[in-house]
Amino acid sequence: MNGFSSEERAAPFTLEYRVFLKNEEGQYISPFHDIPIYADKDVFHMVVEVPRWSNAKMEIATKDPLNPIKQDVKKGKLRYVANLFPYKGYIWNYGAIPQTWEDPGHNDKHTGCCGDNDPIDVCEIGSKVCARGEIIRVKVLGILAMIDEGETDWKVIAINVDDPDAANYNDINDVKRLKPGYLEATVDWFRRYKVPDGKPENQFAFNAGFKDKDFAIDIIKSTHDHWRALVTKKTDGKGISCMNTTVSESPFKCDPDAAKAIVDALPPPCESACTVPTDVDKWFHHQKN
């Protein structure tokens, strides 16, 4: 165990729902700023936001104090990703690498677009369905350069180091060899997932090709540098909450009592069962271009 735990507030699939992270002392922390990027040499931490095969678009709330995980909202409605035939919800465990930030003020030389203002995204391809708010250790294998409505939105491909097959995966070509069709499905999913909402297909750099592990790690390191500039106030975050409990050089560092006060002000965990709307189960058949 890595010592991290999570605590839910309010009911899942409601506007008030939040998942807060805690350290091994049980103190509240920010999953964006306080969980170290590295779990070990060449091993990264990943914050699981969306378990595989689920639809609720959960994400680290970058603008809320302590950056809990909450469900994304568009036009006052909770967001769910559609089931694009033949997929069900997200086709990997989906989340982010902590202490990274895709700077919207930085024009990426590979994509020609600026960052999407979020931590870098991860698709974890192991066999276990992880839990929302779980902190896992992953081995990075490669990366996809998606361009989402004119913003750079890197997608890291990784595998949980605790996966029974993790030793067989060391670079992106191992995924191509051992999970045939998975990377092609990943591109197809990201290309089309917003189409049921009336949005255009997403675009990609590198002709929608995956770059290898070394390239991916270089990109992650650059987003870590951008995060450090953000949390030390060398970059203006424009509304991003940098409240943290561990970053010694950060002017936003607070004590554990201040962090606890943020959570104590919120509704308690909800025991009643909350269900996903039935129309989330609908399958979308979309003519591919």
Side-chain angles (χ1 to χ4, degrees):
M1 275 300 291
N2 53 27
F4 299 108
S5 60
S6 63
E7 181 181 306
E8 295 182 311
R9 289 294 172 125
F13 318 121
T14 66
L15 292 167
E16 297 76 30
Y17 178 70
R18 302 288 185 273
V19 181
F20 286 90
L21 271 291
K22 297 193 280 191
N23 63 15
E24 52 201 358
E25 281 87 47
Q27 297 165 329
Y28 295 106
I29 59 170
S30 161
F32 188 0
H33 307 302
D34 290 320
I35 295 170
I37 180 174
Y38 291 106
D40 208 339
K41 187 180 186 303
D42 297 328
V43 176
F44 293 86
H45 278 124
M46 172 183 172
V47 181
V48 178
E49 297 165 318
V50 186
R52 186 170 80 239
W53 295 326
S54 65
N55 299 75
K57 193 176 190 309
M58 299 281 178
E59 56 189 26
I60 289 170
T62 57
K63 296 185 176 178
D64 293 8
L66 294 182
N67 316 111
I69 296 168
K70 69 177 182 182
Q71 192 165 353
D72 191 23
V73 177
K74 276 279 157 73
K75 296 178 181 170
K77 292 185 71 174
L78 294 165
R79 278 187 74 189
Y80 296 89
V81 301
N83 301 304
L84 288 165
F85 185 84
Y87 315 120
K88 168 68 180 89
Y90 287 73
I91 60 173
W92 346 255
N93 294 301
Y94 192 68
I97 296 178
Q99 297 188 337
T100 64
W101 180 53
E102 294 198 57
D103 182 354
H106 170 75
N107 193 302
D108 190 284
K109 65 183 179 188
H110 304 290
T111 64
C113 298
C114 293
D116 73 346
N117 207 24
D118 283 322
I120 199 165
D121 296 321
V122 192
C123 304
E124 191 280 319
I125 65 167
S127 54
K128 176 190 169 191
V129 175
C130 294
R132 187 185 311 132
E134 192 175 345
I135 308 300
I136 61 174
R137 298 172 303 140
V138 299
K139 188 180 348 180
V140 167
L141 305 171
I143 197 164
L144 177 67
M146 189 175 95
I147 299 166
D148 183 352
E149 297 181 40
E151 295 177 332
T152 301
D153 193 0
W154 292 101
K155 306 297 181 187
V156 174
I157 307 299
I159 191 165
N160 192 335
V161 295
D162 294 328
D163 190 272
D165 294 327
N168 297 326
Y169 292 86
N170 296 295
D171 212 324
I172 199 70
N173 286 329
D174 296 323
V175 185
K176 292 175 184 169
R177 183 170 53 88
L178 296 168
K179 292 185 185 281
Y182 202 5
L183 294 179
E184 291 84 349
T186 294
V187 171
D188 184 46
W189 194 97
F190 279 121
R191 193 187 298 283
R192 300 192 294 129
Y193 83 103
K194 288 186 174 181
V195 170
D197 300 326
K199 295 280 184 70
E201 291 187 350
N202 284 319
Q203 306 299 309
F204 302 90
F206 308 116
N207 201 26
F210 288 81
K211 305 302 275 186
D212 66 10
K213 172 185 182 168
D214 291 341
F215 187 101
I217 289 174
D218 283 346
I219 295 292
I220 294 166
K221 285 177 176 173
S222 73
T223 63
H224 180 56
D225 292 340
H226 291 144
W227 166 81
R228 189 161 295 284
L230 171 74
V231 83
T232 55
K233 215 173 179 179
K234 293 183 172 68
T235 302
D236 181 3
K238 295 191 173 92
I240 285 185
S241 174
C242 293
M243 183 182 188
N244 68 84
T245 64
T246 59
V247 186
S248 55
E249 67 272 33
S250 170
F252 305 103
K253 184 171 184 265
C254 71
D255 61 49
D257 288 341
K260 184 173 184 294
I262 298 283
V263 186
D264 286 348
L266 296 173
C270 177
E271 298 302 322
S272 63
C274 294
T275 54
V276 175
T278 52
D279 61 355
V280 170
D281 289 333
K282 183 179 174 183
W283 235 343
F284 284 87
H285 296 267
H286 167 60
Q287 202 69 42
K288 296 184 194 179
N289 292 341

